[in-house]
Amino acid sequence: MLAISSTDRVFILTGAGVSAESGIPTFRGENGLWGNYRIEEVASPHAWTRDPRLVWQFYSMRRRAASAARPNPAHCALAKLGQRLGDRLFLCTQNVDNLDEQAGSNNVIHMHGELFKSRCDTCSRPPFEDSKLYEPPAALPLCECGGRIRPHICWFGEVPFELDRIFGALEECTLFMAVGTSGVVEPAASFVAHVIGHARTIYVGADEPANLLAFTERHWGKAGEVLPQLFAQLS
Ligand code: APR
């Protein structure tokens, strides 16, 4: 069980491993997305310029899979922790699904974007809710300005969202936990390095992440099994 004091400020970073038990494939695990798709063809600005139809086919496939998924006990444990800690919890996810929100979490920071939102690739119209599938023969969506509508996702080579708020919370936190992330994608993989010296560092996951040495505490196993136990005395 995890001891969290009444003054602790908790920063939790989650990755694809947290949604794996909901049936959403991870990226680098067995049968992971990047084993079946080439990043440079579906998840980069270059891919969007070269073949927006292929990009929308990829994200339509992901929208279909995510809309069939439901929160698992890991999402529920995080939502309960949020109700308990209020603004002393900063929940930052690399995931683009909305399972945290379905489980009842508020103020989730989606640093890599949101699957069920789209935005214009030309004008400054804010991202909008969009769960449509854009697959042949459907026409690709256009904005009133004439620009193309793209998924509201942070692609490789793009700057993640909300970095100012994220680094502010990293500075303030006294407990940093990463859950279900392989620790290979920056800048998220280096967040733990920013807190060493002023926060406890805890890893929860099925396998060793690439940045394992930065964590002083480790809990091995599936997030849906480990998180409810870890937070048990808090509920
Ligand atoms: N519970 C806990 N951890 C799990 C589980 C589970 N049920 N299943 C898998 N894992 C772990 C794996 O061991 C692996 O370390 O989750 C991790 C998932 O790693 P990745 O597939 O690399 O996903 P992630 O770290 O979230 O990827 C980061 O990379 O592709 C980009 O933008 C994409 O946000 C993504 C980023």
Side-chain angles (χ1 to χ4, degrees):
M1 276 197 284
L2 186 65
I4 297 180
S5 78
S6 59
T7 56
D8 268 321
R9 299 196 72 81
V10 178
F11 187 113
I12 299 188
L13 172 71
T14 64
V18 167
S19 293
E21 292 154 77
S22 298
I24 297 187
T26 66
F27 294 92
R28 294 169 188 83
E30 206 183 309
N31 208 19
L33 281 174
W34 299 145
N36 301 316
Y37 295 88
R38 296 162 56 88
I39 289 173
E40 59 276 14
E41 286 179 358
V42 294
S44 71
H46 184 60
W48 178 245
T49 309
R50 196 184 46 215
D51 191 347
R53 181 166 288 291
L54 181 62
V55 172
W56 263 125
Q57 269 177 273
F58 175 68
Y59 285 98
S60 297
M61 174 277 292
R62 294 186 64 190
R63 281 184 175 176
R64 186 180 287 109
S67 46
R70 291 293 165 265
N72 67 59
H75 300 107
C76 302
L78 290 166
K80 256 197 196 158
L81 185 68
Q83 282 142 26
R84 178 93 193 176
L85 298 184
D87 66 4
R88 289 195 293 123
L89 174 65
F90 191 91
L91 180 55
C92 175
T93 186
Q94 298 170 87
N95 300 342
V96 296
D97 62 58
N98 62 3
L99 296 177
D100 284 308
E101 285 82 359
Q102 286 187 43
S105 281
N106 303 316
N107 307 323
V108 182
I109 302 294
H110 287 271
M111 68 178 291
H112 291 162
E114 297 175 71
L115 193 53
F116 296 108
K117 288 188 178 173
S118 299
R119 69 174 199 267
C120 175
D121 70 355
T122 306
C123 74
S124 56
R125 175 183 170 187
F128 53 93
E129 303 289 334
D130 180 14
S131 53
K132 292 196 203 73
L133 308 180
Y134 301 105
E135 295 164 319
L140 291 182
L142 291 178
C143 178
E144 294 119 28
C145 78
R148 279 193 193 287
I149 297 295
R150 57 164 280 177
H152 182 53
I153 300 285
C154 172
W155 286 326
F156 286 85
E158 295 186 320
V159 178
F161 303 106
E162 305 272 11
L163 285 183
D164 290 349
R165 287 181 65 193
I166 290 171
F167 281 105
L170 286 170
E171 270 173 43
E172 285 178 0
C173 75
T174 57
L175 191 160
F176 177 93
M177 179 185 285
V179 188
T181 179
S182 57
V184 296
V185 173
E186 297 294 351
S190 297
F191 287 171
V192 61
H194 287 273
V195 307
I196 290 172
H198 69 260
R200 290 158 58 191
T201 55
I202 303 171
Y203 185 76
V204 175
D207 310 291
E208 292 194 358
N211 54 359
L212 174 68
L213 297 180
F215 295 94
T216 53
E217 234 176 284
R218 300 106 180 232
H219 301 271
W220 303 116
K222 293 184 172 183
E225 292 164 10
V226 175
L227 289 189
Q229 288 164 16
L230 271 184
F231 301 154
Q233 103 280 3
L234 297 165
S235 46

